[in-house]
Amino acid sequence: MRTDTPVTVFRKDYQPYPYDIPEVALAFDLAPDATEVRCAMQVRRKPGASADAALVLDGEDLELVSVGVDGAALPADRYRLSDHRLELYGLPASAAVEIVSRCKPSANSTLMGLYVSGGNFFTQCEAEGFRRITWFADRPDVMSRYRVTLRALPDYPVLLSNGNLVASRQLPDGRNEVEWEDPFPKPCYLFALVAGKLTHRETTVKTASGRDVLLQVYSDPGSETKTEWALDSLVRALRWDESRFGLELDLDRFMVVAVHDFNMGAMENKGLNIFNAAYVLADADTATDANYEGIESVIGHEYFHNWTGNRVTCRDWFQLSLKEGLTVFRDQEFSADMMADGMDAAEAASARAVKRIDDVVALRAAQFPEDAGPMAHPIRPESYQEIGNFYTATVYEKGAEVIRMQHTLLGEEGFRAGMDEYFRRHDGQAVTCDDFVAAMESVYVRQHPGRDLSVFRRWYRQAGTPRVSVKLDHDAAARRCTVTLTQECPLVGVEKKAGADYVKAPYHIPFAIGLLDREGRALTLRHEGEASETALLELSTQSRQWVFEDIADRPVPSLLRDFSAPVIVEYAWTDEELALLSAHDSNPFARWEAGQEFATRQILALAEARQAGRTLHADAAFIDTWRALLTDPAIDAAYRARALALPSEKTLAERMRQVDPPALAVARDFLRAELGRQLAAEFRQAFEASQTPGEYSPAPVPAGKRALKNLALGHLMAAGEPDAQRLAEQLYGQAGNMTDSMAALSALINFGQGEFPQQALAAFYDKWRDNPLVVDKWFALQASARSTTVQTARELMRHPAFTMRNPNRARALIFQFCLNNARGMHHPDGSGYAFWAEQVLALDALNPEIAARLARALDNWSRFVPALRSPMQTALQQVRAHEGLSRNVQEIVSKALE
Ligand code: ARG
Ligand code: ZN
């Protein structure tokens, strides 16, 4: 049994490591059941460190074979081995330390450290997995140059590690031996090795300075036809980082390897990125438009880490957002630039808005609830028990918003100057979030004499989503409009416990605003010496006023344009004003937002009616607004599909005083069906007009058409329109790509009649049973289907293709059910919560990191309606009481119950 006693680590307790470890030589004798690792390191006590400072090394699940110093075995009284630590005493100021240990990759179901997947070896070291490979100073501020020797039987013909291949030979015992050398010092979390039978696709490109570099994508034998998009994306990422940030690839060789068993999306190991196969493999038959987009963005993300993460890394794990927030911002910009590529200015603005909308939708669905719940933490946390639990939407997505605000405040050129300064100061170092802001501030103070980013830094220290309320006063006689912004940031999570001692200070909020006249025309705003349609107001105190002159009539405000800050806006628009903004706002993001706000009001009112047992009615003005969007010839399909999509149940839940997922689901479905019924002709027309004949392309324009067409189909099916099922069956039968197949199958499973849906589902499985990524889709579709109950989920778990050991499969079935099936999961009898508790415990015995992610499904239990709240609490208590719980899950459930 595990002896995982949770220990809280605090940011304020940071201490530098007393030794430098400039060189590391690792030698692996790879075998699934017993891999021997020899770790030889050059160790030098830091100037100023105490002569009796022990060399403290971390280790987990390792068998120690020997410890040597300067060529001789270390006497037993000079080292101490405890649970997760190896301490060496009395070292000379400079020493050669050699540690030999053994681990068992085939038994490693945690997928951290060295493990076996599909018969091949892979590693995952971030954050603290390297200690499962060898005893080492497993912390990001210890940076070393690595030389790696791999020895394995010829069953493992491909042997990869970081950097450059410097030697390769056959050993007398028949095994192969290779040596890799990484010229760049790195923390151990960026170490990687891969060994096994793999195929690859490659290309050579010239970098900006004229060097030839080899780019390779490795995957299972047989999947070489599915790596073209990933390799092309890698080339685009390399070019983009050169042109937008002036950052060049620093290695001669860059490899991406796909693996089917992987805890996360992917990992940026130096020169050897390891990817969840779901973010590498794609072809038209098996991958959806969303998959293609996801691959491009994750390939970009990991590639961009080479500078923002690897060349400049984190001093400690509290600084995780230093690399993740920044790299998410960079991948978002990369995707936006790729989507807008080759378009004229208006098309490009719409394409960028589509990307911004998708990112904000994701932020609101995942990060806003986190920021309002028991796991709320600043983007730079103050403490943690298990760092694996802090790879969160807050650190990543809110972290990216905090970077984006700096980009907004400095402008594109200023931001680039700040980035250049950051690399000039810190290349090759392990630094803090504050170092990043200081580099940006050095530019900001030049641009804005007398101002600085000291208030802005609170975004790194304080948790929770600020609320900005807007007051608009108009003086007709003076033709003057006064805008007052007031911010408020309620205490969240642990802050509430701190009570009166904890005072939250105002944030520095860049707030973009426009004003429309009553005909929907944009008014010119004079602000800080400039005249424009959009003014950027900088709110950095609790409340502030701005005056706009020469405004004849009371205008309609267009607020938080482009989502210029991660805040919640409070303004009492009338429905008529929302309809006007939805039809005319020249800022495509704010235009979308107005429609979403209108729809949110409708659904929340319907949910209330449902709870009160009243009959549901759709509002005519709302239907008219949707009709106008559906038929506006000036907007493209991709944008239209976003504008017409009803807000998600997760986003809506955040707006309910007491969350009632089944009532929300009924209300949202009602409105969807009602729109389908009342706008049947228009949806029909959109469906027909959005066909994409010819060869499949994942490009934004055809993908946008498919999104609109399939949204229309969903509405028609939900409405039970005569003929809709025929359209769905036809689409399913004739689909030339996975996007259409999945959309048709989903509509059929959720709303279809007769035998066709079940037959199609069975045939789909038979067709794709050998493709794990498509089988995941098959499970996910059913797990989230409207009619799926706990019983159905349990039956699906008994399917021969189901396994808990593969995270993608567990996510497809268990996570989809627990997180995305409101009716099944939140059944009033509590059976969904009992199922959840059972699966958290089952997963925890295999893979604590994945279990802890599932554990978070009940985070916000205390905000649910009383009838659901108490069975949720019971389920959480049941998990907490379980003996031998990992510290990952312990941290989550104990915080939830605090
Ligand atoms: N650095 C990786 C990425 O963002 C994520 C690694 C997370 N690893 C983990 N075990 N939680 O690209
Ligand atoms: Zn990352």
Side-chain angles (χ1 to χ4, degrees), residues 499-670:
D501 310 346
Y502 187 81
V503 182
K504 249 171 148 167
Y507 291 87
H508 185 164
I509 299 172
F511 196 94
I513 179 177
L515 298 175
L516 276 65
D517 72 14
R518 296 278 148 182
E519 270 71 60
R521 284 180 301 243
L523 296 169
T524 300
L525 307 183
R526 262 167 277 280
H527 175 65
E528 297 196 335
E530 275 174 48
S532 133
E533 273 183 25
T534 302
L536 187 71
L537 312 181
E538 290 187 38
L539 175 66
S540 52
T541 51
Q542 206 213 336
S543 185
R544 191 175 156 187
Q545 280 193 351
W546 287 265
V547 175
F548 298 101
E549 305 287 352
D550 204 20
I551 310 282
D553 302 305
R554 187 182 166 82
V556 180
S558 159
L559 302 174
L560 200 71
R561 287 185 155 182
D562 297 326
F563 198 71
S564 58
V567 302
I568 294 167
V569 175
E570 290 175 346
Y571 181 75
W573 285 284
T574 62
D575 285 358
E576 294 70 36
E577 289 175 328
L578 290 176
L580 180 104
L581 289 166
S582 159
H584 298 294
D585 197 328
S586 60
N587 183 269
F589 183 88
R591 181 178 178 184
W592 167 81
E593 186 87 295
Q596 294 294 302
E597 179 60 26
F598 202 176
T600 299
R601 289 184 184 181
Q602 301 301 311
I603 299 171
L604 292 178
L606 288 165
E608 253 179 59
R610 162 83 183 181
Q611 287 170 322
R614 295 195 301 269
T615 36
L616 308 187
H617 292 289
D619 177 75
F622 175 73
I623 304 275
D624 286 342
T625 299
W626 243 236
R627 179 183 291 108
L629 288 168
L630 189 45
T631 53
D632 184 341
I635 50 183
D636 61 73
Y639 180 83
R640 194 188 310 254
R642 270 65 178 188
L644 293 167
L646 295 175
S648 74
E649 288 168 17
K650 292 229 161 52
T651 312
L652 291 161
E654 285 304 293
R655 300 282 296 265
M656 273 188 133
R657 232 171 353 92
Q658 293 198 329
V659 184
D660 186 350
L664 264 184
V666 169
R668 188 176 180 279
D669 278 357
F670 171 82

Side-chain angles (χ1 to χ4, degrees), residues 126 266 268 301-302 305 308 323-325 327-328 331 391 396:
E126 188 182 1
E268 69 265 24
H301 180 96
E302 306 311 331
H305 266 316
T308 51
K323 72 178 179 82
E324 295 305 344
T327 305
V328 171
D331 83 52
Y391 286 75
Y396 277 65

Side-chain angles (χ1 to χ4, degrees), residues 238-276:
L238 180 145
R239 292 282 170 246
W240 182 85
D241 219 9
E242 290 180 341
S243 65
R244 181 115 177 229
F245 284 101
L247 297 171
E248 193 175 318
L249 180 58
D250 55 10
L251 292 163
D252 301 332
R253 177 170 180 168
F254 190 91
M255 299 168 279
V256 165
V257 185
V259 54
H260 281 282
D261 297 291
F262 201 74
N263 282 350
M264 315 277 291
M267 180 63 212
E268 69 265 24
N269 317 299
K270 187 79 187 186
L272 180 58
N273 289 184
I274 298 182
F275 272 61
N276 188 325

